[in-house]
Amino acid sequence: MHHDVAALIPALLGRLRSGGAHLDRFGLTVVPIHPAANDELRIGHPAQEAVPTEHDPPLADRIVVTNLSDHAIVLATGTIATGGHCARALSETTVVEAHETHSIPVEAIEPRWWHQGTLRWAGSLEPALVAAVMLVHGADGGLRARARTALWSVPGLAPDESPVLSSADSLPVRAKSWLLYHERGFLAARLPGHDRPSLPSSSIRAGVRPPPPQVPGEPLADVTARLNSIRWTNGTGAARTQDGHTFAAQATRSASGIAELSLVRLTADLLRHLLHTPG
């Protein structure tokens, strides 16, 4: 469930720092983003604690997840569930409280629609493909259809079948957070949340900006400025900048803070990179 998040956003953004940039297989620049030390909400999909199942009857755009643990679990956008009737990626970061069952929106990542055993977690999509899922979820009309077509057309989209990290220590695995750029600037961001139950007003007004990453395009400070300028309606927001770019944003709030903050530019630029990748 989404709640009002506007007051928490500036303080969250003030504690982020960037890592070293690298190019992905689509020719896009990925900048890892990290929270300050000891200031993060762990996100992931514990193999034994969050159990995915199909609806009855199965639905292409939703699955059911039951949290068997005694603590809340955050399931991140792009997490893959394979098996069942189709391999799908979660299209919205969702908090599942202890011993609760949620119906979670997903995006199909293969054309199959027949039963292949029990649903199971199978890793996560890479940043550019998570951004494509965010675009499907945040856009509408023709851009949404083009994003879905691009996602299905990417070579090597098969789920990562490597084992999900163990949850034997009762802590979910961490989701990766990043900024995504191309030659003309910022495309998408997935930013880590925090687990502080309350934030003093002084920290909200005076968050310290981290140093910008050494990459072409817009620095992290500029991306955070975009997020700070958004008029939030509970957990979703949209903004049009002076250069005419439109963004869709989503913030998922947990009981103790913000679990994840995402931003995607509503443009076909990302899709052109995905579709022109050599097979």
Side-chain angles (χ1 to χ4, degrees):
M1 179 180 294
H2 295 304
H3 304 280
D4 182 44
V5 297
L8 296 176
I9 298 297
L12 181 155
L13 297 175
R15 288 197 290 270
L16 300 181
R17 57 187 176 84
S18 59
H22 66 274
L23 287 178
D24 68 6
R25 63 182 173 123
F26 306 106
L28 300 171
T29 300
V30 180
V31 183
I33 298 297
H34 310 286
N38 300 318
D39 185 28
E40 65 181 305
L41 182 69
R42 287 174 175 259
I43 299 176
H45 39 77
Q48 304 300 322
E49 296 181 345
V51 179
T53 56
E54 296 280 11
H55 276 268
D56 185 15
L59 302 175
D61 61 349
R62 301 192 78 87
I63 62 171
V64 176
V65 176
T66 300
N67 181 359
L68 301 180
S69 75
D70 294 327
H71 54 84
I73 291 174
V74 184
L75 298 163
T77 303
T79 301
I80 296 171
T82 190
H85 275 66
C86 178
R88 282 156 283 182
L90 303 190
S91 58
E92 179 178 310
T93 294
T94 303
V95 179
V96 184
E97 298 295 337
H99 304 292
E100 287 191 357
T101 297
H102 282 206
S103 175
I104 297 180
V106 293
E107 182 64 27
I109 56 174
E110 66 173 355
R112 172 176 62 88
W113 192 247
W114 58 84
H115 186 67
Q116 283 192 347
T118 303
L119 272 178
R120 63 190 184 279
W121 302 121
S124 179
L125 297 175
E126 59 200 286
L129 300 183
V130 174
V133 171
M134 289 162 51
L135 195 56
V136 172
H137 191 66
D140 54 22
L143 184 57
R144 170 179 288 179
R146 292 174 66 185
R148 183 170 284 126
T149 299
L151 188 62
W152 279 43
S153 302
V154 170
L157 186 60
D160 174 9
E161 294 291 352
S162 57
V164 175
L165 296 180
S166 170
S167 60
D169 58 357
S170 297
L171 290 174
V173 293
R174 299 178 184 177
K176 294 180 180 179
S177 300
W178 36 261
L179 304 180
L180 189 67
Y181 293 82
H182 73 335
E183 63 274 6
R184 290 197 293 274
F186 169 73
L187 287 174
R190 176 198 207 163
L191 303 178
H194 58 77
D195 58 3
R196 294 184 182 275
S198 62
L199 297 167
S201 58
S202 59
S203 69
I204 293 176
R205 290 196 300 268
V208 177
R209 294 196 184 282
Q214 300 301 308
V215 297
E218 303 167 21
L220 176 57
D222 203 30
V223 174
T224 61
R226 292 187 191 279
L227 285 160
N228 277 326
S229 69
I230 289 176
R231 293 184 177 181
W232 292 90
T233 302
N234 293 321
T236 59
R240 179 178 291 275
T241 60
Q242 292 182 348
D243 55 11
H245 294 152
T246 303
F247 296 83
Q250 180 179 333
T252 303
R253 186 172 180 180
S254 68
S256 57
I258 295 177
E260 183 180 281
L261 183 62
S262 64
L263 180 70
V264 62
R265 199 171 98 194
L266 301 181
T267 173
D269 289 347
L270 169 67
L271 311 181
R272 284 190 282 269
H273 277 266
L274 299 183
L275 290 173
H276 292 140
T277 302

